[in-house]
Structure formats: C-alpha cells, structure tokens
Amino acid sequence: MKNNIERRRFDCLVIGAGGAGLRAALQLVQADLHVAVVSKVFPTRSHTVAAQGGMNAALGNLTPDNWHWHMYDTVKGGDFLGDQDAIEYMCRAASRLVIELEHFGVPFTRLENGRIYQRPFGGQSQNYGGEQAARTCAAADRTGHAILQSLYQQNLRSRTHFFDEYFATDLLVSEEGVTQGVMVIDIESGQPLIIEAKTILLATGGSARIFRTSTNAMINTGDGMAMALRAGLPIQDMEFVQFHPTGIAGLGMLISEATRGEGGYLINKDGERFMERYAPHALDLASRDVVSRAIATEIREGRGCGENADYVLLQLHHLDPDIVKSRLPGIRGMSIRFTGIDPVDAPIPVFPTAHYTMGGIPTNRKGQVVVPLHHAPEEPQQGLYAIGECACVSVHGANRLGGNSLLDIVVFGRAAGNHIIDFLADNRFHTPLSEASIEQAMDHIQRWDKKGEGESVADITKQMRVMMEQYCGVFRTQDVLDEGVEKGRELLARLADVRLGDQSKVFNTARIEAFELENQLEVAMATLLSAAARTESRGAHSRLDFPDRDDREWMKHTLYYNRDGGVLDYKPVRTQPLTVDSFPPVERVY
Amino acid sequence: MIRFSIYRFNPDKDSKPYMQDYQLDESRLEGRKMLLDAILLLKEQDESLSFRRSCREGVCGSDAMNINGSNGLACITPLSSLKQPINLNPLPGMPVIRDLIVDMESFYRQYRTIKPWLMNDEPEPEIERLQSDEERKKLDGLYECILCGCCSTACPSFWWNPGKYLGPAALLQSYRFLVDSRDKATNERLDELEDPFRLFRCHSIMNCVEVCPRDLNPALAIHNIRKMLLKRAT
C-alpha cells in the first residue's frame, strides 16, 4: 500500500492557510522558494476571517504611543508569563507590519487626515499604566476578514501553490528526530498523499472548540498541536485558555471587545456598571481575564440577568447609533440575527466564552520549534517551525490582550519565513523519508477503516465539550480538575471503540471529524493535566483554591508530553528582553 | 418534527443523485434557531450526510447551498423562515462532488481572473498610503464579500456562459479594486473587462442581489463598471 502513495516535494510546506500561514508563505514565495500551503478548508474560510476588532500597533494616530508602552501592556496583560524577548520583538515590529498590510491592500478604516483609524482596546495604556491608549488598527469590525483576504490575494499574485481541502494527519519524522514531511489526505478523493519538505511550518490555529460554548469556528480542533504531540514533542502552557468576556450568551458567537472600545459597557441585573468594582481605573477595558472573572462572579453571586440569572448585559444603546452602524456593523448584524436584539435599541446578553489558546507548540521568536533535548530547555528542532495560535512563543503569557493575535500572526509569520529562507540556504537537500514513520502514519489513517459496531464520533465529541466546560472553565479547583482528568481518560479509552459508519472515500467529512476528535482529546488532556498541576492563579488560569499568583514557585512555563498518560515538565520564562530593561513581576491592577 | 428533503449523491456508491427525506425532533435543537444547527443534528443521525461548514456565524462562506430554491448560508438562515419540507440542494450549475458539496473551482478561477490584489507601482511611502474617509467608504459594500458563491451560482448568465462571463462575485471584487483610491491599474482592469462576455453578459436579472447573505449589491457594482467604461470611451 504505502509504495503506491503519491509523493510531492517542496522546499517548505506550510500547514494552515490562516493569516499566519499565508503571511509566512508570502515571505517564502517572494524569495523564490518552492512553497506549498496545505489547508483543510479553502484559505479564506480559515478562522482569521472571524477576527473583528483589530490589530495592535503603536502608530500613535490617535493618542501618543510607542512600542515600549505596548510591550509593557503585553507583559502585564500576560501576567508576567510572556517571554519578554519575543514581546519586545513583536511590539517593535508592529507598526511596520501594519503599514505593510495597508500596502498589501487591507481596507483599514480611516481618520479625517487619511491615516489608519485606531480604537481603544482592553489592557492598553499610555506611559506604562497611565491613561487609556488607542492602539488597535481596525477595518470596521471585520479586520480579520480584511487581512485574510488581502494576504490570500497577495499569495495569488505571487503564485503560491495551494493544496485546498487537504487534511494533514501526521508529521513524518526520521529516526534522528528530523521532520521530513507530512502525511495528508486529499479530502475530495479520500486518498493519502505524502508531501516531503525540507522545512515544515505549522500554522494550524487554536483549539478552543474543545469547549462546548466557544467563539471558535468548527475547524479549530488543535490539529497541529496534536500532530506535534504524536511526534513526541511537548506543547506548552495549555492550562491558559482565554474566555472572552462577551460571547453571545448560550450560543458563543463573538461580540468584539471593540464594542467596549467604542464606549459600550457591561451591566448586571440591577443595571449596575459592575466593572467599577473590579477595575476602578480601566473599567470595562481591563484585561479579558479580569472582565471574564468579574462577569462569572456577578453570576455566581446572583446578579446575573434573565430567567436563570445566567448572563450579563452589554449595553451600547447610549452610543450614537451612527457610530454603532459605521464602526460595528458586523456585530450589530450578528446580534440582530442570533438574538433578535438591535444593540442600537437594547443591550446584548453575553457570557464568558472559550476563545483563544494561549498555549501551543513551544517556539522561539524566529518561529523555530524548541524543545529540551540534551543540553538546554530550548533547543531548536531542525527544519520545524510553528506560528500563530498553534504556537507558544510566548508573547501572550497567561492572558492575551485583544488586538495582539492578528499582530502575532503577521509578525511571526514573517519572522519564520525569514528564518526558513536562511535555513534553506545551508540545507539544500531532502533527506530520505523514514519508512517506519510512513508506516506509522498509514496505520493511523487505516485505524478509521475498522468496521463493526461501536460508539459514534459525535457522541464522544459532545461529551468531551461538555466535560471541558464543566471541569475546566473560568474558575477551577483541584477536585474539579482531577475529576475532569478522570473523565478525559475515560473518553480517551472509549475512543478506541469508536467506529465510522460511513467508510466511503469521496469527501467523507465524517472521517475528517474522527481525526479532529482524536486531536481534540489530545489537546483536552494536555489542558486538564497542565491546569490540575498549576497550583496558583495567573492570568486566565484562575484557581479558587489558590487565588494568588505565586512567582517563586510558578513563574515558569509548563511543558506537556502525551507519553505514559501525560507527563509534565517545566522551563523558565525568558524575562530578558532584547534591548530594554526587563519588566519584573508586580501586582497586576487595572 | 421538522421535515427535510435533501439532495444525496455519493459517487462511491450512487449511480445517480436522489432526494432523501429526513425528520428532526425540534427539541434536539435546544433553542438553536438556524438551519445549520438542524443539519448538524441530522449528520449525527446519519454521518454520511455531507456538507461544508466552519464559522457557523456567516463570515467564512463555507455552507452556501440552495435552500428551498434560493441560495443562502445555512448558518444564518433561520429555520422559522423556511417552509417544510425544507428542500436542500447543492449550489446550482456547479459539478457536485458529493451531497451538498460542489466543486467551486470555476468560481474561484473567475475570481483569480480579475487580479484581485491591489496594484500600485508607485514607491511605497514609509507610512500608510493616505486615503480619505470618503474614499475609503467607497469600499464599503464591496470588501465584505466572503466568496461563498451564492450570487454567481444563482445567475443564469453565469450558468449559460461557463468560463466566459465572470459572474457577479468576481465583478464585485473587480469593482472593489477599480474604486480603491490606492489602486493604479484602473485602465488595465477596464481593458480586461471590455469584452462581449466577461462583463456584458450581465442582463440585470438581479438574482445576485436577492441572494447575497452579506446584503451586498453586485448588480450595482456591475452597473458602475459599465459607467466607468462608458465614461472612458467618451
């Protein structure tokens, strides 16, 4: 069988066609490299399309600003778990890269003077914690859509090779641990394909779909993270899952922070603007973890709205309706469509909703995947790269700031592209593929050809999502997390008995969902076990039984391996920036 | 019970397509209101039922299909707006791969034909290319297109002139660059469109406007391109 599999060869294979993958591909194709992008959906359907509010850069078009203030806010926003060299690199590069996107054609909203419009977002300050800054460059409330379209268009112009609707199942790794290629399935034909590549870049996005109520697209199933785990690599800081304060209650659709940036605020059942109690200075524009905890607390203490007192309200109707219509048209449409409420007239019911995976495949600021091998905690894996939400650089630390993810993807997409170009100059040849690794990848694919009666993919998926919501939510305790670990292990054991009823080849989406379930369960276990071990509260990881941050014990990154039922390791935070002084951990108030 | 009649075709086993009836117990929706919510549940009953989907909020353009005779996105089509049995068919005029999944390549090819990228060979300034708020507003109603294909596959001219008429989606994108104050290839773009088929096969049937799930108006964009051509000629 395996000898009949078609093979293709490229200098670099990018997996994932969101903003990160496309930005990297552009860098590579413009350097005349032979680059291919594999994506399980047509590129413009990638989840970057759903990013609303904007992209941070200290352009200073509206308020005085500079990259160092942005860096401070990002370090503080991440509750001092972010690596400060990477954060400095990102914040310094931000302005140049927003300008570059504008030159690529992104239709940013404009100011009177023709420059890019910027809006205030959570956790942004002038002068290291002073007045609110307006740092988020926006194309109305469709910034992700605008950026993804422009990046795809630039790739079309440069003739990047696309494998649209191909699903990557496994990395092909040599006995020496060098990544040599990827096994993919052509979704349309159902046939496997081996893609050999001298360098491989994972840009597969996040995994917040492991939670029942999620702002994420259905495709966000942590595929790249799980592929890394199966290849024996660790994933980092998976306990840090961002719950966005304002998903539509019960449904999960994202209502952008831009609503609060434009002047909206949250109220409880008494009509009280409760953020005054939790963040007297920043109010509704405190960091997302802070606002989400505040909402969850209001509801726990009985001040939620509605029949079941299980949500709070986001009020916009005090704003000029024309501002809402011109700057938040997508949000308004979404609210009308899914809740029947026009935010120009009445407030929107919202609830903290799983949104973003701060953790991911460990990398350095060049996008190289780094793991503890022999001598140091961060030795680069030759030829293997990861960027965007599937990676953990870590610029977001324990909590990402709004507007920093669109920035992250273009900054590190470009940086990884550049490093790959350099690497390929010295590494010009493919190495012979490991037959053992092909065999292993084929076994994995053929596992789903097993016939007979068994549980369904849909049942296990559903139970996993409910379990994650119940046992690994905004507030966590040891008992609940430990129980979650048990439940997760049970689901993992049941996975062996799952059978596909539909064994057909052509565009079998049920088969893809089976692979996605495997990936999600891997990521869910990483999340639960990492969370159960971290006995402190930091950023988005909030432990009722350990309410304080513990810098002495826990200012370190978690590394999770999936061997032996899950093994944890730790590595230090890179507190030393590239050129400026380190921001030492201090108490975090907004 | 909600009743459905859904187009089925699996080339692995079917020699020709057929319609299959499905029923869904409304309580299983648990308050969810959209057509996509319902067909996701149908897929739990019958995992062989195949369709594309991703964002489930109307921004990615994956789940375009023909719903009771009209093209739309399943994720933002309320079940309450649909007469039963709900008839679901693949987008019209496109080769069917399986069930509700069509081969979109001819649609994407027309999109690529119009060179959908900003062209400006003037030296790049260190800052953004300035654009007034007024100039930028001309892109509203154009840049929001999600390439779902609802409009072009609802257009008889697109069906009748395959590969020749660009179709509403590609023309809308063409106009998006024609009116972008930063784009300097206006003449070149208009040259490409001045052809008996590419642009002029639009007969103002207006199906595109009716079905666009983003409330965009490709017909108006096409009309405006014609005006630009006319103005250039005089």
Side-chain angles (χ1 to χ4, degrees), chain A residues 45 61 102-103 105-108 110 114-116 145 153 165 214 218 462 501-502 504-506 509, chain B residues 12 43-44 47 52 54 56 60 98 108 111 116 125 127-129 131 136 143 145-147 176 182:
Chain A
R45 325 255 183 251
N61 285 355
E102 194 282 326
H103 294 165
V106 175
F108 284 109
R110 300 295 173 139
R115 305 201 64 169
I116 294 171
H145 164 85
Q153 293 162 352
E165 302 193 313
S214 169
M218 298 179 72
K462 222 190 245 178
D502 176 14
S504 57
K505 291 284 177 218
V506 174
T509 54
Chain B
D12 280 356
K43 191 172 174 62
E44 288 182 15
E47 68 186 17
R52 295 186 176 103
S54 179
R56 55 80 178 97
C60 82
R98 174 179 179 164
Y108 295 141
Y111 172 65
I127 59 163
E128 57 269 52
R129 292 187 195 279
Q131 183 172 49
R136 165 61 185 77
Y143 82 95
C145 172
I146 55 176
L147 302 176
R176 176 248 174 276
R182 302 168 296 171

Side-chain angles (χ1 to χ4, degrees), chain B residues 4-163:
Chain B
F4 297 84
S5 174
I6 303 181
Y7 180 102
R8 301 299 313 272
F9 176 66
N10 179 353
D12 280 356
K13 59 184 189 64
D14 302 326
S15 54
K16 58 176 196 285
Y18 60 97
M19 298 301 288
Q20 184 173 349
D21 292 338
Y22 287 92
Q23 295 206 334
L24 181 72
D25 183 345
E26 250 169 309
S27 67
R28 290 185 56 209
L29 283 164
E30 294 172 355
R32 295 186 179 235
K33 287 183 241 173
M34 298 298 176
L35 174 59
L36 179 67
D37 299 320
I39 57 178
L40 286 169
L41 290 168
L42 292 182
K43 191 172 174 62
E44 288 182 15
Q45 285 168 216
D46 173 3
E47 68 186 17
S48 73
L49 176 63
S50 304
F51 49 90
R52 295 186 176 103
R53 82 291 180 274
S54 179
C55 75
R56 55 80 178 97
E57 58 186 35
V59 298
C60 82
S62 297
D63 61 350
M65 56 185 73
N66 186 270
I67 305 160
N68 279 353
S70 179
N71 292 349
L73 300 178
C75 60
I76 53 171
T77 300
L79 287 161
S80 61
S81 70
L82 299 172
K83 242 174 82 175
Q84 292 182 31
I86 298 168
N87 269 290
L88 300 181
N89 279 281
L91 288 176
M94 309 295 271
V96 175
I97 298 173
R98 174 179 179 164
D99 296 348
L100 300 173
I101 297 167
V102 296
D103 181 350
M104 299 276 283
E105 179 50 27
S106 62
F107 172 81
Y108 295 141
R109 192 182 308 121
Q110 298 301 56
Y111 172 65
R112 294 195 299 267
T113 301
I114 61 105
K115 298 190 176 144
W117 48 81
L118 192 80
M119 288 193 256
N120 185 330
D121 54 13
E122 292 168 7
E124 285 179 354
E126 274 172 65
I127 59 163
E128 57 269 52
R129 292 187 195 279
L130 299 183
Q131 183 172 49
S132 72
D133 185 37
E134 214 166 71
E135 289 167 332
R136 165 61 185 77
K137 284 208 167 96
K138 290 185 180 161
L139 307 182
D140 285 338
L142 304 172
Y143 82 95
E144 301 94 324
C145 172
I146 55 176
L147 302 176
C148 64
C150 283
C151 60
S152 292
T153 64
C155 171
S157 290
F158 191 77
W159 304 334
W160 295 332
N161 302 283

Side-chain angles (χ1 to χ4, degrees), chain A residues 419-585:
Chain A
H419 196 272
I420 290 171
I421 292 166
D422 289 346
F423 176 85
L424 287 172
D426 300 330
N427 296 270
R428 300 179 46 213
F429 305 106
H430 292 271
T431 49
L433 275 182
S434 149
E435 293 300 317
S437 117
I438 296 174
E439 214 144 308
Q440 211 172 3
M442 280 311 292
D443 285 349
H444 179 200
I445 289 178
Q446 283 160 359
R447 178 262 173 265
W448 291 107
D449 296 338
K450 271 192 217 164
K451 295 195 168 60
E453 291 293 300
E455 294 206 67
S456 79
V457 170
D459 273 347
I460 306 274
T461 305
K462 222 190 245 178
Q463 288 177 39
M464 170 196 66
R465 289 177 175 161
V466 171
M467 179 273 287
M468 287 304 287
E469 189 157 294
Q470 286 176 344
Y471 295 93
C472 206
V474 174
F475 289 115
R476 301 164 173 181
T477 61
Q478 198 66 54
D479 294 351
V480 172
L481 285 166
D482 289 345
E483 220 177 309
V485 169
E486 281 314 302
K487 302 247 176 210
R489 289 200 167 122
E490 280 164 31
L491 290 173
L492 212 49
R494 283 165 58 191
L495 185 62
D497 298 323
V498 175
R499 293 289 180 274
L500 274 179
D502 176 14
Q503 302 267 353
S504 57
K505 291 284 177 218
V506 174
F507 225 113
N508 186 340
T509 54
R511 182 188 304 262
I512 301 303
E513 286 174 22
F515 289 115
E516 289 174 336
L517 169 60
E518 292 177 329
N519 292 342
Q520 291 174 90
L521 270 175
E522 297 263 23
V523 172
M525 286 312 297
T527 306
L528 286 162
L529 282 160
S530 303
R534 186 175 284 268
T535 50
E536 66 157 352
S537 289
R538 183 185 296 270
H541 176 65
S542 189
R543 293 280 302 252
L544 290 173
D545 43 357
F546 297 95
D548 298 322
R549 195 178 73 202
D550 178 358
D551 290 324
R552 260 180 57 162
E553 195 56 40
W554 284 107
M555 206 166 124
K556 58 187 180 188
H557 294 297
T558 307
L559 293 175
Y560 168 91
Y561 297 82
N562 74 348
R563 62 171 188 263
D564 308 327
V567 174
L568 295 173
D569 191 6
Y570 294 91
K571 69 174 185 182
V573 174
R574 293 194 298 268
T575 52
Q576 194 52 51
L578 298 172
T579 66
V580 292
D581 288 341
S582 179
F583 291 111

